[in-house]
Amino acid sequence: MVTQDMEAAQQAVLGALLLSPELTGEVVAQVRDRDFVTATHRLTYQAIRALFAEGREPDPVAVLHRLGQTEQQPWQEYLVGLMERTPTAANIWEYVALLKEQARLYHLRQLGERLAQAPSAEEAEKCLAHGNALMVDKPGLRYVTMERALLDFYDRHKTRHEYLTWGLDKLNHRLFVDRGDMVVLGGYASSGKTLLAIQFAWHWAKLGRKVGFFSLETGEGKLEDRLISYSMGLDFGKIKRSELTEEDYKALALASQRLIRPKLEWVPAGGMTVEDIRSAALSRGYDAIFVDYLQLIQGDRRRSRAEEVAGISIGLHQLSQTTGVTVVALSQLSRPEKGGEGVKAPTLASLRESGQIEQDADVVMLLYKEEDTPHSRRVLHIAKNKEGETGKLYLAFDGARQKLSESVADAPAPQKRREPAYRQMRFTELTQPDPDDPFAPRGGADGQSQDDSLPGLTDRFHWKQPSNIDQNRRGEDEREKHGANAEGFADAGGVISAGGADRPAPAQRSRSAGPRR
C-alpha cells in the first residue's frame, strides 16, 4: 500500500526534474528506479533517465514524446499535473531524501509480509538478509569539491581522533584502524592466531564496544577456557584437567562482575555464509566482528576454490565498508617451506588460496614462531598497513596463562652457530702421473726415474732409498744431536720407528732433481 507521503515524495521529485532539467544528472546518481514504487511514476523517471543517457535535455516536451500519448494514459495531463503540484525545484534534495526514506519503508513493509508468509526457515532468512541490506543501502554517489574537502579536514582534525587500540603499545603506535576497516590476521597452524584474536576481542569489549566472535573451527567451550585463563591468570593446564582449587573459584566469584560486563559474544558459525554473518552482525548490533577463520566460510561451490575464497574475501570487505562494522578475519597460511635455516618467515604471498585477501585488507598481520620449538617467541609481522608503517613485533608466549605479551627484547634472537659438517678424510690412488705435483720423482742423468724401487706409493710424498753411506752418516748426526733417547729417526735400515710401528724413511732429495720448489 502506497501511503500519502510516499505519493507526495514521488510527485515532488519528478515535478522538480521537469521544472529544472539541468538537475537530472545529480539526481540520477542518487535515485534508482525502485525508489519509485508506483508504476506510472517509475515509467516517467525511466523516460527522463533514458533521455539524459542519450545526451538530450529531458524537458517536458521531450519526456512526453518519449512516453507517447494514448487514450488509456493521458501523459500530457499527467505531466502538467506534476509541475503544478511542485512549487519550486529549489528544494529537490529534501524531496530526494524523503523519497528514499519512504521507498525504504515501503520495501521493508513488503518484506515483512513475505516474512509472515515464509514457507520455510531458509526463505525467512533470505527475507531478513534482504532487509538488512536495505537498511545499509548506499544513498548514492557524492561529489566532494576541494573546498568541501578542506573544510572537512579542519573539522576532522580539530580534536584528537581515537583509533582502535590492541592492548599492545607498540602495535597501537603503528596501526590506525577505524570503523569499517578490514584486518586480516594470518598464521601457520598452532602459531597462536586464535589466542591473539581472543586477546584483541576481549580488549575491545572491555573498552565498551560490542564484539561478536564467529568461530568456524573452535568450540565456544575451548574459547571460554582460553579467555578465563588469560583474563584471570589461571593455569591453563589446571583448567583443562578441572583441577581448580577453592581459592581459584573464590577469585572467579570476586571477578564475576568484571568478567560479565564486557559485551563479547561467541557465535558458533560452522556452515555460515558471508550473508549469514552479515545478517547476524547487523541484527546483534556488533561494532566489530572476528571471523575464525576465513577459508572455512561457505562460498559458491560451483566456482573454483580460488574464486570461492576470493568471493568470500570480497563479501567481508563489502560488509565492513557498507555497514561500518570492523572486520578482523583470521586466515590460514600456505604450508611453510623448510630450508637450512629452519622454517621460513611467511609473506603476503603465503595467504592461502587467494591473492584477493591481500587486496581487500586494510591491514595484514602475519603471526609465526621465531624458532621451531613449542615455547618459542612469536613474531607479529605487519606485512601491509595502508595508513602506517610495516614492521615486526616480538611477542613472548606464556602457554600456562594463554597470553601473548610484548617481548622485553624487541629484536631477533641471535643466530645459533652452525657446526661445520665433518667428513672423514679419504685417500685415493693416482692412476696417472700428475705433471704439476711438486713431490713427483724426478729422472736422473739417464732420464730414468730413481723411484722404481718403490712402485705404487701414492699421495703427495715419495720415498727414495738412501745409500748405505748416507744412512750411516745421517744416523750418527741425529744421535749426536738428540742423544741416546732420540726416537723416530732413520736407522741403518732406512726406516722410521715411531710407537713400535716401522715405516719407510722419507727419501732425501736428489741433487740431480733440480731446484726445490
Side-chain angles (χ1 to χ4, degrees):
M1 175 180 170
V2 180
T3 63
Q4 184 176 357
D5 290 340
M6 183 70 212
E7 181 66 22
Q10 294 178 96
Q11 292 180 2
V13 171
L14 292 175
L17 289 176
L18 293 172
L19 292 173
S20 299
E22 66 275 7
L23 297 173
T24 303
E26 296 180 61
V27 173
V28 166
Q30 298 194 33
V31 178
R32 303 178 183 179
D33 292 355
R34 70 180 185 185
D35 293 332
F36 294 91
V37 299
T38 304
T40 303
H41 298 325
R42 185 164 55 251
L43 288 172
T44 305
Y45 180 70
Q46 289 173 346
I48 294 174
R49 193 183 63 178
L51 288 169
F52 176 77
E54 294 172 0
R56 300 166 58 188
E57 184 172 335
D59 56 41
V61 175
V63 173
L64 178 60
H65 180 73
R66 169 74 67 167
L67 291 171
Q69 183 71 15
T70 63
E71 295 181 359
Q72 292 79 11
Q73 179 61 49
W75 289 106
Q76 183 174 350
E77 292 78 1
Y78 165 74
L79 296 178
V80 171
L82 290 176
M83 290 186 289
E84 289 178 349
R85 295 187 189 94
T86 306
T88 177
N91 298 325
I92 188 170
W93 301 118
E94 283 76 9
Y95 302 154
V96 167
L98 179 61
L99 171 67
K100 296 188 72 64
E101 179 185 353
Q102 291 297 317
R104 185 178 293 111
L105 182 59
Y106 173 82
H107 291 300
L108 286 173
R109 286 171 177 164
Q110 281 192 323
L111 281 174
E113 295 177 1
R114 285 176 51 194
L115 181 61
Q117 301 174 4
S120 64
E122 183 179 359
E123 187 66 26
E125 289 179 1
K126 291 181 180 179
C127 292
L128 289 174
H130 192 189
N132 289 328
L134 285 173
M135 294 304 297
V136 296
D137 192 18
K138 289 185 177 180
L141 295 176
R142 294 190 308 117
Y143 301 93
V144 181
T145 64
M146 286 307 301
E147 179 183 3
R148 181 71 261 172
L150 186 58
L151 293 174
D152 289 344
F153 178 85
Y154 291 147
D155 292 338
R156 285 186 289 107
H157 295 286
K158 283 180 180 177
T159 58
R160 182 182 179 87
H161 185 75
E162 297 295 334
Y163 295 97
L164 293 173
T165 57
W166 303 86
L168 300 171
D169 291 338
K170 295 175 182 177
L171 197 59
N172 295 340
H173 293 134
R174 294 194 181 189
L175 300 185
F176 302 96
V177 176
D178 212 341
R179 292 179 60 88
D181 286 344
M182 178 176 170
V183 179
V184 172
L185 175 59
Y188 293 133
S190 301
S191 63
K193 59 182 181 297
T194 300
L195 174 60
L196 187 59
I198 291 174
Q199 289 188 206
F200 291 157
W202 180 246
H203 176 73
W204 289 355
K206 289 195 300 180
L207 294 177
R209 294 179 174 85
K210 190 171 183 180
V211 181
F213 198 103
F214 291 79
S215 179
L216 294 95
E217 181 184 34
T218 308
E220 62 269 25
K222 295 181 179 180
L223 297 175
E224 293 161 4
D225 290 347
R226 294 182 185 183
L227 178 59
I228 294 299
S229 176
Y230 165 70
S231 60
M232 292 296 298
L234 297 178
D235 185 89
F236 188 63
K238 291 171 62 178
I239 292 177
K240 300 307 292 183
R241 293 189 297 268
S242 301
E243 295 177 352
L244 295 179
T245 64
E246 185 177 350
E247 288 74 16
D248 295 331
Y249 283 112
K250 286 182 180 179
L252 280 170
L254 292 174
S256 59
Q257 291 300 316
R258 176 174 64 86
L259 292 174
I260 65 176
R261 189 179 303 115
K263 298 179 180 180
L264 173 60
E265 297 179 354
W266 310 112
V267 185
M272 293 184 72
T273 64
V274 173
E275 200 60 46
D276 296 333
I277 295 174
R278 178 192 183 101
S279 299
L282 293 176
S283 63
R284 298 296 297 172
Y286 293 138
D287 298 309
I289 64 171
F290 287 73
V291 180
D292 184 17
Y293 54 90
L294 183 149
Q295 284 86 355
L296 291 180
I297 298 176
Q298 291 291 331
D300 188 352
R301 297 297 178 85
R302 297 169 298 179
R303 307 165 69 182
S304 67
R305 181 57 180 165
E307 292 175 339
E308 180 184 0
V309 174
I312 293 170
S313 177
I314 292 173
L316 291 176
H317 178 69
Q318 291 176 345
L319 190 160
S320 64
Q321 291 289 304
T322 58
T323 65
V325 175
T326 304
V327 175
V328 179
L330 279 64
S331 174
Q332 284 281 24
L333 300 180
S334 300
R335 186 182 299 274
E337 297 180 1
K338 291 191 176 183
E341 299 293 332
V343 178
K344 294 184 178 180
T347 64
L348 287 172
S350 303
L351 293 170
R352 180 180 289 182
E353 296 175 318
S354 178
Q356 186 67 40
I357 302 173
E358 172 191 348
Q359 299 178 33
D360 293 330
D362 297 286
V363 173
V364 177
M365 294 183 285
L366 305 176
L367 185 69
Y368 59 97
K369 294 181 179 180
E370 186 177 28
E371 299 173 341
D372 194 12
T373 59
H375 302 289
S376 167
R377 291 194 309 176
R378 268 50 170 183
V379 180
L380 185 62
H381 179 200
I382 306 173
K384 179 182 179 181
N385 188 6
K386 284 186 176 180
E387 301 294 327
E389 298 179 357
T390 59
K392 294 180 180 179
L393 280 74
Y394 296 88
L395 306 178
F397 173 63
D398 184 357
R401 301 294 181 270
Q402 290 293 286
K403 183 177 182 181
L404 287 168
S405 56
E406 292 179 350
S407 177
V408 175
D410 191 20
Q415 294 292 330
K416 294 182 178 179
R417 180 179 177 272
R418 297 182 60 194
E419 293 293 335
Y422 294 102
R423 293 185 301 177
Q424 187 174 2
M425 184 65 71
R426 184 175 63 179
F427 296 92
T428 59
E429 182 178 358
L430 296 176
T431 57
Q432 299 293 333
D434 185 358
D436 297 326
D437 185 359
F439 300 100
R442 303 297 178 183
D446 57 354
Q448 299 297 325
S449 172
Q450 297 182 10
D451 289 339
D452 293 341
S453 59
L454 298 174
L457 288 180
T458 59
D459 207 274
R460 300 176 62 186
F461 296 95
H462 300 273
W463 309 100
K464 176 184 176 184
Q465 181 68 31
S467 66
N468 292 334
I469 298 176
D470 291 337
Q471 293 174 6
N472 295 334
R473 183 181 300 166
R474 183 180 178 187
E476 294 174 358
D477 292 343
E478 296 298 343
R479 279 191 291 272
E480 290 178 1
K481 182 177 179 181
H482 297 282
N485 295 328
E487 185 176 9
F489 299 99
D491 57 15
V495 297
I496 293 179
S497 300
D502 294 337
R503 57 187 174 89
Q508 294 181 350
R509 180 175 298 276
S510 173
R511 295 182 181 275
S512 62
R516 186 172 184 176
R517 296 183 184 179

